[in-house]
Amino acid sequence: WFDLLHTVDKCEAIYCSEDFICINGECVPQPTCDNVVCGEDEACRLDVVHCSNPPCLRVPICRSNLTCEMLQCVPGTVCHDGECVPEPSCEGVICGPRQECFLEDPPCFGTPCPLAVPICGPVSRCSGVRCREGFVCIDGYCVAEPNCDGIQCPSGEECYLKEVFCVRDPCPPLPTCHPVLTCDMIGCIPGYVCEDNVCVPEHQEKLPELLELITVLVTVL
């Protein structure tokens, strides 16, 4: 009886290496489309199998080789993973007293991410509130959108707008101070070099010297 009420997640304390996933307490290889042969005009895709404890196993399946760039869906539908599906909406959803329907993005553990799902929640104080440009509704009031104007950070730090997570939009960013990145802290990918604390193409760094040389040659001639 106790076990029925408290299901133990056997994967909670298990860490699997890349390309492996924990299933029932064991690390097993992530399924892939390698060696899967599909028919003509089909392609192998990894479809997520829904489970109670994400991340869920993805199963290779042959489907029509279409992409959203190739499809034009009719009004009321959207393209998702190469298929036209009904557009998420709150139409027909009946909520309880002092509740309203809104669309919530489910957790995303791989591409493409699941579409938003309609759920019921307390009526937002911002429902029906329209704020002028530069303002956003928070708890029923129109307030100025957060920015870094007037924010004084400690020496060696700068202000930036940090994205925050919330259950319902709007989710305005939060002005936050963090250390200024310098070339000593930045690792650029091959073919790029750090200049003025920014990664730029390697040849771009030599461009001013080249222009200076051309100017000298033109002057001499």
Side-chain angles (χ1 to χ4, degrees), residues 1-211:
W1 170 252
F2 179 82
D3 292 338
L4 292 176
L5 294 177
H6 298 80
T7 303
V8 177
D9 182 5
K10 296 182 179 180
C11 292
E12 184 176 3
I14 294 180
Y15 173 78
C16 298
S17 59
E18 189 177 1
D19 297 330
F20 281 75
I21 186 173
C22 181
I23 300 294
N24 199 28
E26 296 183 2
C27 290
V28 298
Q30 278 272 24
T32 68
C33 281
D34 297 344
N35 303 321
V36 176
V37 180
C38 296
E40 189 177 356
D41 297 329
E42 286 187 331
C44 177
R45 301 189 184 189
L46 296 177
D47 277 9
V48 176
V49 176
H50 296 287
C51 60
S52 56
N53 293 314
C56 305
L57 196 65
R58 308 188 79 185
V59 178
I61 185 172
C62 291
R63 294 176 49 188
S64 176
N65 190 20
L66 293 175
T67 64
C68 286
E69 289 76 16
M70 303 164 60
L71 295 176
Q72 185 173 0
C73 299
V74 299
T77 64
V78 293
C79 184
H80 183 257
D81 198 20
E83 291 183 304
C84 290
V85 297
E87 185 175 5
S89 74
C90 283
E91 186 177 355
V93 178
I94 301 176
C95 298
R98 298 183 180 178
Q99 288 192 330
E100 65 180 355
C101 175
F102 63 96
L103 298 177
E104 182 179 59
D105 292 324
C108 181
F109 297 101
T111 55
C113 293
L115 294 175
V117 293
I119 64 172
C120 292
V123 176
S124 170
R125 294 185 179 181
C126 287
S127 294
V129 177
R130 297 290 181 267
C131 300
R132 59 189 176 93
E133 187 177 356
F135 285 74
V136 62
C137 180
I138 301 293
D139 201 24
Y141 296 92
C142 289
V143 298
E145 289 184 346
N147 57 61
C148 283
D149 295 344
I151 302 295
Q152 294 184 347
C153 295
S155 177
E157 295 188 359
E158 63 182 356
C159 176
Y160 77 106
L161 296 178
K162 181 181 180 181
E163 296 296 330
V164 297
F165 173 79
C166 65
V167 177
R168 301 178 66 176
D169 291 333
C171 304
L174 183 67
T176 307
C177 293
H178 74 143
V180 177
L181 293 178
T182 63
C183 285
D184 296 333
M185 305 164 60
I186 298 175
C188 299
I189 62 175
Y192 282 72
V193 293
C194 184
E195 183 180 359
D196 295 331
N197 302 330
V198 178
C199 289
V200 297
E202 195 168 4
H203 61 81
Q204 182 174 321
E205 183 188 31
K206 301 176 182 179
L207 186 58
E209 298 178 6
L210 181 60
L211 291 176

